[in-house]
Amino acid sequence: MKWMEPFLFYIFNNKKYNDVSLLNPEAVKNILIVRNNKRIGNMYFLIPFVKEIRKKYPDAHITLILKYEWQREVFLGMGIDEFVFSHFSARAAFKFISSIIKTRRKKFDLIFQPYSSVEDTLICSMLSARNKIAPFHKRRNFVFTHTFKKRDKLKHAALSRLYLISELGFECKNVSHFLELTDKELVTGLLDRQDVYAGNELCIAYFRGARGTKRLSDLQWREILSKIEHDLEQKIKWIEILSPDITSPLNDDSLYYYNSNMRILSSFLKNVDIFISCDTGPLHLADASNCRCLGLYNKTDPEVFGVLNELSHNVQIEDIDNLDFRQFL
C-alpha cells in the first residue's frame, strides 16, 4: 500500500515555520533528532550521528525522540538535553498522541531524520521546525525542507547517515561509536567480571542468541568453540552471556553472566579478552563498549552491520574454518 503513504503525510504535514534556506550553524539553538525504532542494534548504530550533532552544535539544546524509555540508557552522557518517547503503536495510541501534542508545541530550528522510515517521516511531518533534514526519498521528500542524496561510499549502518551532517558544511572526523560509561559503571563491570572469574587465563565470552535465521545451532556453537581451543592451544576460560531467551549455558561446567542493565553488561564485556556473537544486539553493545569482538555472520552483510572496533573481526560462517584464531589474537 505504498501509494497511500504520501496521502498520510499530507494529512498531517506541518509546514507553518518551514524555511527553504538552510540556517547558519550560529542560528541553530534547538535541535530534534527522530529515531523511532525499537531494535537494540539500531540504537547503537545511532551513536555516531548523535555524537557528531553534539560536536557540531555545542551550544544547541538537543532533543532525541526514541520509541521507549529503556532506550535512553544508550545515550546517557552524550550531551542529550531532553528525551521524548513516542510509544508509536496502535495499542499505545493515547501515549503517542499525548507525546506528539506536547512536542508539537515547540518550534525547532532543525529536525534531523537520519534513517528514512514511514513512522519517522510521519512524526517529522507533524512537528514544527524551520529546517527539516532527511535522506532523499521520492515518496517522502515533500515532508522535509532539505533532503540529500548519498554521495559517499560509507555502507555501515552506523556511519552511512553522517553524510547528512557533511551536506550542511561540516567535516566528520574522529567519529566515535562508543558508549559513555560513568566511573561507577566501569567499576561495577570490573567487579562483576572478577566475581565470575578472577584468574589470568584467556577469558572469552560468547552469546548464542540471535533473531530468526541469524541464530546458530548449539552444534555449530560447540564446533566453533572447539576450533578456537584447537587453534590457540592454550587454556581458555569461557563465559556465556545469558538472556531472557538463553536461560541456561551451553555447557554445564561453563561460567555464565546475566545482567538486564545494558550499561553494566557493557562494562562487564569491556573486561573480557574477546566477545563472540552473531549479528544481534549484544554484539553491537560489546562493540560500543570498545570490546574486542568476533562477529559471526550468516544472513546479514558485515559491510553494513559489522563490528567497527579496529581490533575486532567480522567473519562469514562459511569462512570460519579458514580463520586462524592465533592471527586474530
Side-chain angles (χ1 to χ4, degrees), residues 37 65 70-71 74 97-98 121 134 153 188 190 205 233 268 275:
N37 187 286
I65 286 188
W70 64 263
Q71 296 172 309
V74 176
I97 293 170
S98 176
T121 304
K153 296 182 180 180
T188 301
L190 176 60
E233 297 179 340
F268 178 90
F275 178 69

Side-chain angles (χ1 to χ4, degrees), residues 136-169:
F136 179 91
H137 192 292
K138 62 182 180 181
R139 291 195 309 275
R140 302 167 188 163
N141 284 344
F142 68 92
V143 171
F144 303 92
T145 60
H146 300 82
T147 61
F148 300 101
K149 291 184 177 180
K150 185 173 174 58
R151 295 186 291 176
D152 63 33
K153 296 182 180 180
L154 293 174
K155 294 182 179 180
H156 197 281
L159 307 175
S160 63
R161 291 301 180 261
L162 295 177
Y163 80 91
L164 294 174
I165 301 173
S166 300
E167 290 288 350
L168 300 184

Side-chain angles (χ1 to χ4, degrees), residues 186-222:
L186 291 170
V187 170
T188 301
L190 176 60
L191 293 176
D192 280 7
R193 153 66 160 81
Q194 291 174 342
D195 283 343
V196 176
Y197 177 65
N200 296 317
E201 293 177 10
L202 183 67
C203 184
I204 303 180
Y206 63 97
F207 177 69
R208 287 182 290 139
R211 193 165 44 86
T213 55
K214 293 190 292 184
R215 186 168 178 170
L216 303 181
S217 68
D218 287 354
L219 175 60
Q220 287 174 297
W221 271 105
R222 287 192 172 95

Side-chain angles (χ1 to χ4, degrees), residues 9-23:
F9 302 145
Y10 270 119
I11 292 171
F12 296 103
N13 207 11
N14 180 356
K15 291 181 172 289
K16 183 176 180 181
Y17 298 105
N18 284 181
D19 189 336
V20 295
S21 301
L22 273 173
L23 298 178

Side-chain angles (χ1 to χ4, degrees), residues 120-311:
D120 285 3
T121 304
L122 183 60
I123 289 173
C124 289
S125 72
M126 296 176 177
L127 302 179
S128 302
R130 296 174 67 186
N131 288 172
K132 296 183 180 183
I133 313 293
F136 179 91
H137 192 292
K138 62 182 180 181
R139 291 195 309 275
R140 302 167 188 163
N141 284 344
F142 68 92
V143 171
F144 303 92
T145 60
H146 300 82
T147 61
F148 300 101
K149 291 184 177 180
K150 185 173 174 58
R151 295 186 291 176
D152 63 33
K153 296 182 180 180
L154 293 174
K155 294 182 179 180
H156 197 281
L159 307 175
S160 63
R161 291 301 180 261
L162 295 177
Y163 80 91
L164 294 174
I165 301 173
S166 300
E167 290 288 350
L168 300 184
F170 297 106
E171 185 177 7
C172 295
K173 297 193 303 183
N174 302 318
V175 176
S176 169
H177 71 288
F178 297 133
L179 290 163
E180 299 294 336
L181 299 177
T182 65
D183 291 342
K184 182 178 180 180
E185 289 166 339
L186 291 170
V187 170
T188 301
L190 176 60
L191 293 176
D192 280 7
R193 153 66 160 81
Q194 291 174 342
D195 283 343
V196 176
Y197 177 65
N200 296 317
E201 293 177 10
L202 183 67
C203 184
I204 303 180
Y206 63 97
F207 177 69
R208 287 182 290 139
R211 193 165 44 86
T213 55
K214 293 190 292 184
R215 186 168 178 170
L216 303 181
S217 68
D218 287 354
L219 175 60
Q220 287 174 297
W221 271 105
R222 287 192 172 95
E223 290 174 345
I224 290 170
L225 301 187
S226 177
K227 172 178 170 51
I228 295 173
E229 290 177 338
H230 177 269
D231 285 357
L232 296 182
E233 297 179 340
Q234 69 182 93
K235 289 185 177 181
I236 299 172
K237 191 58 66 175
W238 297 102
I239 301 177
E240 181 161 4
I241 304 302
L242 302 182
S243 72
D245 298 324
I246 308 292
T247 56
S248 58
L250 178 66
N251 300 312
D252 293 337
D253 59 347
S254 175
L255 300 175
Y256 58 89
Y257 179 75
Y258 171 77
N259 200 317
S260 60
N261 185 314
M262 291 188 297
R263 295 179 68 83
I264 301 302
L265 176 57
S266 165
S267 181
F268 178 90
L269 293 175
K270 285 178 71 71
N271 292 285
V272 302
D273 295 306
I274 304 172
F275 178 69
I276 307 173
S277 171
C278 296
D279 175 20
T280 189
L283 176 66
H284 304 296
L285 167 66
D287 189 33
S289 310
N290 199 14
C291 171
R292 172 182 279 187
C293 299
L294 178 65
L296 307 177
Y297 292 78
N298 62 346
K299 296 295 180 182
T300 49
D301 184 353
E303 281 196 76
V304 180
F305 302 109
V307 289
L308 293 169
N309 191 328
E310 292 181 355
L311 296 177

Side-chain angles (χ1 to χ4, degrees), residues 105-123:
R105 296 191 186 113
K106 302 177 183 179
K107 185 179 75 172
F108 297 95
D109 294 313
L110 292 182
I111 289 180
F112 285 100
Q113 179 191 269
Y115 300 87
S116 188
S117 72
V118 173
E119 290 184 4
D120 285 3
T121 304
L122 183 60
I123 289 173

